[in-house]
Amino acid sequence: MKRILSGVQPSGKPHLGNYLGAMRQHIEMQKDYECYLFIADLHALTTVKDRDQMIQQTYDLALSYLALGLDPKKTVFFKQSALPEHTELCWILDCITKMPFLERAHAWKDAQAKGKKEISVGLFNYPILQAADILLYQPDLVPVGQDQKQHIEMTRDIAQTFNTTFDKVFKLPDPFIKEEVAIVPGTDGQKMSKSYGNTIDIFAEESVLKKQVMGIVTDSTPVKEPKDAEKCNVFRLYKLIASKEETKELENKYTKGGFGYGDAKKTLLDKILKHFGEARDKYNELTPKENYVYSVLEDGAKRAQVVAKATLDDVKTKIGYKL
Ligand code: ATP
Ligand code: MG
C-alpha cells in the first residue's frame, strides 16, 4: 500500500481553501493509502505567540479533522511537537542546505515582499523543517495545495543531497495536487490563507460565516445586468462544492441578469451550511470530549514515532553518530 503524509498548521481556523485543497483529499485517501497526518504546531509558532491560542487552535484543528471523517484507526494522526525527531532531523538537514537555496522559497519571499522586516529565523528555515516532517515518514505522495509545490520540490532536492552526501536513506516524494482546487480564492480574490484574513471558515458560527460570505469582493455590475459568472469569486467558490447541475443553474442566473451578487452570496452560504451540516453536528458533539480527542493524538504520536525513529536512526548511522 502506498503511503501519504501531510500537515495543516493550527495558525487559525480551517477554511474552505484548506478543506478543498488538502483536507478533503486526506480523508478520501484513507481508504486506499497508508496515511500519516499531523498538526503542524511547530510551524505555527512562526505566527502564533500566545499559549491559549496555540492550545485552542490545535484542539480546533483536531476536532475539525475528526468531524470531517478522519478515522484514527486508519490514519496516524498526531501533533508535530510531540515528536522530537522532527526538529532533530531539521538540524541535520540544515547542515547540508545552502543559504541561497532557501532564499528562493516562496514563504520567505512573500514575507519580504509584504515588507515584514523582522522575519524570524524559523520562518526562513520553514522549508527545511517541512522537509524533515516529510522525509521522516518516507511517503510516496504528499497531498497539498499549489502553494506547497515548491516546498516539496525543495524537499526532494534536500533528500537527494543527503542521499548523495552520505548514503541513500530517503525516498523522494511526489506532490499530489488536485488541479481544480489547487488555489482556492479568498474573499478578496487572493489565495485564501489564514494569515491573509480573507478566509471562509468551515466550522465558524453561522453569524461569522455569514459575515465572511457577505464580505466576498464583487464588482459593481447592477443587479439587472447579465454577469460573467467565471469572473465572480462567489461563483468560483460555489462551483467547488456544488454539483454540476447546481453550478449550471447558478451560472444561468448570472447570465440572465436580474440576479444580484447578494443573491449569489445567499446561495453560496446556504450551500456551505448544507455541505458541512453533518460535519458541524459531529464537530459540536466532539467539542466537549477532550479526553477522547487528546487520546487520539497521543496514540497517533506513538505510532508515528515508530516510523520517524527508524528513519532517524538510519540517518544517524549513515552520518556516523550511531555505530
Ligand atoms: P497560513 O496562512 O498560516 O500559511 P494557510 O491558510 O496557508 O495558513 P496551511 O496550514 O499553511 O494553511 O496549509 C494547509 C494545507 O492547505 C496545505 O496543503 C496548503 O497547500 C493547503 N491550502 C492552504 N490554502 C489553500 C488554498 N487557498 N487553496 C488550496 N489549498 C490551500
Ligand atoms: Mg500556508
Side-chain angles (χ1 to χ4, degrees):
M1 204 183 231
K2 290 205 165 173
R3 185 180 287 176
I4 66 163
L5 169 126
S6 198
V8 177
Q9 298 188 67
S11 50
K13 285 176 177 290
H15 53 73
L16 268 183
N18 297 142
Y19 170 73
L20 295 165
M23 297 169 84
R24 181 155 73 176
Q25 282 68 266
H26 302 159
I27 310 262
E28 278 172 8
M29 290 169 101
Q30 287 183 125
K31 56 180 187 322
D32 302 315
Y33 292 83
E34 193 189 338
C35 298
Y36 288 79
L37 190 66
F38 64 95
I39 297 182
D41 55 351
L42 294 176
H43 287 288
L45 187 59
T46 61
T47 51
V48 181
K49 316 280 198 225
D50 178 273
R51 179 176 194 273
D52 291 345
Q53 201 184 345
M54 185 65 89
I55 293 172
Q56 204 271 324
Q57 287 174 181
T58 299
Y59 189 69
D60 185 66
L61 186 54
L63 273 182
S64 304
Y65 261 115
L66 292 168
L68 289 168
L70 180 140
D71 178 352
K73 288 195 203 74
K74 290 193 183 132
T75 292
V76 179
F77 185 41
F78 60 102
K79 235 170 54 165
Q80 185 189 21
S81 64
L83 276 81
E85 285 79 1
H86 288 244
T87 38
E88 205 176 339
L89 180 60
C90 178
W91 172 257
I92 291 170
L93 301 180
D94 276 350
C95 296
I96 58 160
T97 309
K98 306 281 193 292
M99 292 284 284
F101 176 82
L102 267 194
E103 280 162 8
R104 293 202 300 268
H106 286 318
W108 149 255
K109 286 214 285 201
D110 280 0
Q112 267 194 326
K114 290 203 163 64
K116 290 187 188 156
K117 293 212 173 58
E118 295 186 13
I119 299 166
S120 70
V121 178
L123 183 68
F124 183 64
N125 207 28
Y126 181 125
I128 305 195
L129 179 58
Q130 189 167 334
D133 300 335
I134 297 171
L135 297 174
L136 278 175
Y137 300 91
Q138 310 273 21
D140 299 283
L141 294 177
V142 185
V144 284
Q146 176 74 22
D147 60 322
Q148 292 300 329
K149 187 167 189 264
Q150 188 202 30
H151 289 158
I152 297 173
E153 280 158 10
M154 293 175 85
T155 297
R156 291 171 61 93
D157 286 345
I158 294 170
Q160 208 145 23
T161 305
F162 185 95
N163 288 349
T164 51
T165 306
F166 296 100
D167 202 348
K168 185 169 183 309
V169 173
F170 300 122
K171 186 184 261 185
L172 306 193
D174 284 309
F176 177 88
I177 299 170
K178 273 188 109 168
E179 207 178 321
E180 62 282 14
V181 286
I183 307 174
V184 176
T187 54
D188 58 359
Q190 290 189 78
K191 169 198 170 297
M192 190 179 288
S193 269
K194 284 167 270 182
S195 52
Y196 297 170
N198 62 355
T199 61
I200 294 176
D201 303 336
I202 55 181
F203 293 119
E205 280 177 31
E206 239 179 277
S207 58
V208 176
L209 194 63
K210 184 168 178 196
K211 219 168 147 195
Q212 292 176 334
V213 172
M214 293 303 160
I216 298 175
V217 177
T218 50
D219 64 27
S220 55
T221 316
V223 174
K224 61 175 183 339
E225 300 278 317
K227 298 173 184 65
D228 184 347
E230 288 297 340
K231 284 199 182 132
C232 175
N233 283 329
V234 183
F235 181 78
R236 283 162 72 201
L237 288 170
Y238 183 79
K239 154 171 144 166
L240 299 176
I241 49 172
S243 68
K244 278 212 172 70
E245 294 73 39
E246 289 169 326
T247 305
K248 193 79 212 136
E249 202 179 308
L250 186 64
E251 194 176 7
N252 287 341
K253 288 183 180 167
Y254 271 77
T255 326
K256 257 174 83 186
F259 182 76
Y261 290 123
D263 302 318
K265 288 176 183 174
K266 178 83 182 43
T267 311
L268 174 63
L269 177 65
D270 290 345
K271 185 72 213 166
I272 295 174
L273 286 169
K274 200 162 155 219
H275 186 86
F276 293 103
E278 219 175 284
R280 258 173 191 277
D281 293 343
K282 187 87 197 287
Y283 179 97
N284 291 332
E285 182 195 313
L286 283 172
T287 302
K289 299 191 175 162
E290 284 197 11
N291 289 346
Y292 169 70
V293 175
Y294 284 126
S295 74
V296 164
L297 293 176
E298 278 159 28
D299 177 58
K302 283 188 200 131
R303 287 156 67 201
Q305 195 158 33
V306 175
V307 180
K309 190 171 178 305
T311 309
L312 190 61
D313 279 351
D314 195 12
V315 165
K316 288 179 174 174
T317 306
K318 300 285 160 50
I319 292 177
Y321 289 158
K322 237 176 130 76
L323 299 180

